[in-house]
């Protein structure tokens, strides 16, 4: 059943709020803990539906996965190559990350795994993952266009490969590296543009041999050595910088605001949005910078700011691919034009995010242009009209972006369905309201 929410203009946002754990790192912590020998503990795990689906999948693949009374998680892994054939279909819900990474994981195990998901996930293409994994010996049987439901018949004798990514994608890179763990020799992925490196950092933390070197012709070659002895580790999950983007942009847009977001991940391959916001004139300060389980974190202090339009280079897209929807909202309030290039990847996310943002902004009174891989937002330096109902296409980032817009636009903004928000940011409305927002169920 749809869950419509409406967001209204507020006078000020203030206070401190702990953002849920990083989704990318949460998925990987569960997977690598399941591959390690011995006990791993995970603190700060994002308990959204996407990550809980991964936890269920790891149980189905033979690992012991338990949530403790204090909110931490404990895993007893099976060792590399020790996963078992699941007795039932793995339903990954809305989680593209979980599905694609797990396809890589099981592709090098000699059994069959069947994946499915909700309507949104079943509409998303998986060919970009299955193509390189087929070269390693796995077979894939799915719907036309390489879509779920899909059976993955794992390789009995997996082959190491060297694969150059045709499109920058941390998910595809990670799927290949995960398959390489249970493959003899060295498996290498070449990326011309750097993508988030959580897989490499965490694999090293668990004891794998992973090299990152300059690639001939530019970019990087990431190589994993097969059959490592992964050892259980404690993992502290930083607050998710992609989720932190929503209250951060809200504070920038609502006059007189100042908020603190503690312990947010500041991995430089994830901070393209914040770099862009600073270029737009945002008042964002990193306080108490530190390292946490191999990942850099800091407290974000954000104050309201008058923003100006900028050109966002296409090469920045891999470091902020999930944040373009909320950047487009910020651009709608900025003075001048903001041009975002290299956004083709947005058309195959949970929804066609590029089209969804263009339609939603236009409905709220914002002048916007859309091409195949570019979004141009013409800001006026004033609050857009709002006064619209936006279709979210069951996309959590579209829903949250327009709820943020409603906090500073002239009139309220409604989203037709906010249910998907729980996949990545459970408690989003309550957290925003705790800072001074006004997000309500329709009819309240």
């Amino acid at each position: 059943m749809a869950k419509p929410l409406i967001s209204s203009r507020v006078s000020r946002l203030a206070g401190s709020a702990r953002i849920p754990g990083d989704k990318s790192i949460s998925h990987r912590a569960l997977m690598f803990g399941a591959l390690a020998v011995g006990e791993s503990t995970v603190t700060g795990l994002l308990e959204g539906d996407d990550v809980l689906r991964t936890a269920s999948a790891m149980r189905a693949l033979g690992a012991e996965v338990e949530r403790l009374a204090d909110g931490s998680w404990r895993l007893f892994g099976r060792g590399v190559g020790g996963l078992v054939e699941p007795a039932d279909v793995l339903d990954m819900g809305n989680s593209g990350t979980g599905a694609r990474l797990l396809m890589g994981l099981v592709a090098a195990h000699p059994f069959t795994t069947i994946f499915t998901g909700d309507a949104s996930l079943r509409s998303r293409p998986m060919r970009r993952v299955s193509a390189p994994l087929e070269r390693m010996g796995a077979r894939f049987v799915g719907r036309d266009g390489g879509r779920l439901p899909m059976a993955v018949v794992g390789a009995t004798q997996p082959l190491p490969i060297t694969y150059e990514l045709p499109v920058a994608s941390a998910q595809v890179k990670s799927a290949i590296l995960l398959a390489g763990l249970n493959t003899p020799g060295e498996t290498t992925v070449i990326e011309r543009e750097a993508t988030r490196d959580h897989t490499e950092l965490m694999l090293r933390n668990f004891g794998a041999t992973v090299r990152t070197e300059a690639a001939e012709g530019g970019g990087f070659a990431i190589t994993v050595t097969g059959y490592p002895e992964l050892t259980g580790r404690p993992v502290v999950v930083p607050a998710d910088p992609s989720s932190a983007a929503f209250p951060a942009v809200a504070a920038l847009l609502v006059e007189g605001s100042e908020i603190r977001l503690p312990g947010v991940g500041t991995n430089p391959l994830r901070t393209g949005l914040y770099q862009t916001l600073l270029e737009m004139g945002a008042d964002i300060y990193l306080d108490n910078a530190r390292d946490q389980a191999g990942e850099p974190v800091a407290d974000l202090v954000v104050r309201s700011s008058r923003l100006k339009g900028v050109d966002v280079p296409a090469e920045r897209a891999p470091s902020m691919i999930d944040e373009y929807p909320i950047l487009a909202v910020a651009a709608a309030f900025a003075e001048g034009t903001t041009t975002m290039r290299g956004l083709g990847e947005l058309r195959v996310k949970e929804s066609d995010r590029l089209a969804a943002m263009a339609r939603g902004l236009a409905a709220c009174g914002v002048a916007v242009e859309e091409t195949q891989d570019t979004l141009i937002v013409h800001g006026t330096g004033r609050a857009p009209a709002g006064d619209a109902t936006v279709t979210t296409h069951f996309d959590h980032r579209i829903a949250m972006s327009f709820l943020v817009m409603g906090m500073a636009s002239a009139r309220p903004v409604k989203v037709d369905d906010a249910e998907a928000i729980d996949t990545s940011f459970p408690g989003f409305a309550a957290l925003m309201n705790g800072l001074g927002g006004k997000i309500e169920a329709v009819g309240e």
Side-chain angles (χ1 to χ4, degrees):
M1 182 180 294
K3 181 183 175 182
L5 293 178
I6 190 165
S7 178
S8 303
R9 187 180 181 94
V10 295
S11 58
R12 183 172 183 261
L13 298 176
S16 177
R18 170 71 187 185
I19 303 300
D22 186 288
K23 186 165 71 161
S24 296
I25 295 174
S26 293
H27 282 300
R28 289 160 172 82
L30 292 171
M31 293 181 194
F32 299 165
L35 292 176
V37 175
E39 178 182 293
S40 294
T41 57
V42 185
T43 306
L45 187 85
L46 170 64
E47 294 185 355
D49 185 69
D50 281 12
V51 174
L52 296 180
R53 299 277 182 167
T54 293
S56 295
M58 301 325 297
R59 290 190 190 100
L61 289 163
E64 294 182 35
V65 184
E66 177 187 13
R67 187 185 190 277
L68 303 180
D70 64 0
S72 65
W73 290 68
R74 181 171 59 197
L75 296 93
F76 288 93
R78 299 189 59 89
V80 170
L83 299 180
V84 300
E85 183 171 81
D88 204 348
V89 174
L90 300 186
D91 186 345
M92 301 309 298
N94 191 243
S95 180
T97 300
R100 292 185 177 110
L101 267 60
L102 281 174
M103 285 181 178
L105 197 59
V106 301
H109 286 74
F111 53 72
T112 298
T113 309
I114 300 173
F115 291 87
T116 191
D118 66 12
S120 171
L121 186 59
R122 293 196 306 272
S123 72
R124 284 179 248 166
M126 297 293 166
R127 183 61 187 162
R128 64 179 59 191
V129 173
S130 64
L133 296 176
E134 284 174 343
R135 289 178 49 187
M136 300 181 76
R139 291 192 296 116
F140 293 78
V141 182
R143 294 169 57 218
D144 286 348
R147 290 175 167 81
L148 304 184
M150 179 175 285
V152 181
V153 183
T156 54
Q157 295 181 310
L159 303 171
I161 62 171
T162 296
Y163 185 78
E164 181 173 339
L165 296 177
V167 176
S169 171
Q171 291 181 359
V172 178
K173 172 179 70 173
S174 297
I176 298 167
L177 295 177
L178 290 180
L181 292 174
N182 199 40
T183 298
E186 294 188 335
T187 297
T188 300
V189 178
I190 297 172
E191 55 180 13
R192 298 304 177 188
E193 299 176 67
T195 64
R196 58 184 67 176
D197 60 353
H198 302 306
T199 295
E200 299 95 298
L201 292 175
M202 193 177 294
L203 279 177
R204 292 187 188 111
N205 189 49
F206 273 85
T209 299
V210 183
R211 300 195 314 274
T212 300
E213 303 166 313
E216 185 177 345
F220 300 93
I222 302 97
T223 300
V224 64
T225 301
Y227 303 140
E229 177 90 357
L230 302 185
T231 305
R233 291 281 191 274
V235 177
V236 179
V237 180
D240 195 318
S242 297
S243 296
F246 299 101
V249 168
L252 292 174
L253 301 181
V254 176
E255 191 172 350
S257 297
E258 179 176 339
I259 65 170
R260 176 180 285 265
L261 307 173
V264 176
T266 56
N267 186 309
L269 295 174
R270 294 285 301 280
T271 54
L273 171 73
Y274 298 98
Q275 180 182 348
T276 303
L277 291 172
L278 290 170
E279 292 171 0
M280 297 174 76
D283 185 349
I284 301 175
Y285 171 67
L286 299 185
D287 190 30
N288 191 24
R290 57 205 186 273
D291 275 352
Q292 200 167 275
E295 291 278 351
V297 303
D299 301 345
L300 298 189
V301 180
V302 187
R303 301 180 183 92
S304 59
S305 308
R306 294 192 63 82
L307 303 178
K308 62 180 185 298
V310 296
D311 282 357
V312 187
E315 57 267 23
R316 194 174 293 170
S319 69
M320 57 181 296
I321 195 65
D322 288 331
E323 285 79 69
Y324 280 106
I326 191 61
L327 174 62
V329 168
F333 290 79
E335 182 176 353
T337 297
T338 297
T339 302
M340 295 162 266
R341 298 182 175 87
L343 308 189
E345 180 75 4
L346 292 185
R347 296 203 182 273
V348 292
K349 287 288 188 177
E350 281 82 339
S351 67
D352 181 341
R353 283 185 178 157
L354 206 163
M357 287 306 302
R359 287 193 294 266
L361 290 172
C364 291
V366 180
V368 59
E369 301 172 57
E370 170 198 358
T371 71
Q372 181 58 32
D373 66 350
T374 301
L375 187 65
I376 302 172
V377 179
H378 299 285
T380 64
R382 299 186 302 274
D387 196 26
T389 297
V390 174
T391 301
T392 64
H393 305 282
F394 202 72
D395 189 316
H396 53 131
R397 300 197 193 279
I398 300 298
M400 288 186 282
S401 294
F402 282 101
L403 290 172
V404 166
M405 189 168 193
M407 295 179 187
S409 56
R411 290 183 291 279
V413 175
K414 184 172 81 173
V415 298
D416 70 329
D417 189 2
E419 185 179 358
I421 291 174
D422 285 341
T423 64
S424 69
F425 200 148
F428 168 75
L431 182 145
M432 297 303 298
N433 290 345
L435 292 170
K438 189 180 179 183
I439 299 175
E440 303 168 298
V442 173
E444 285 189 357

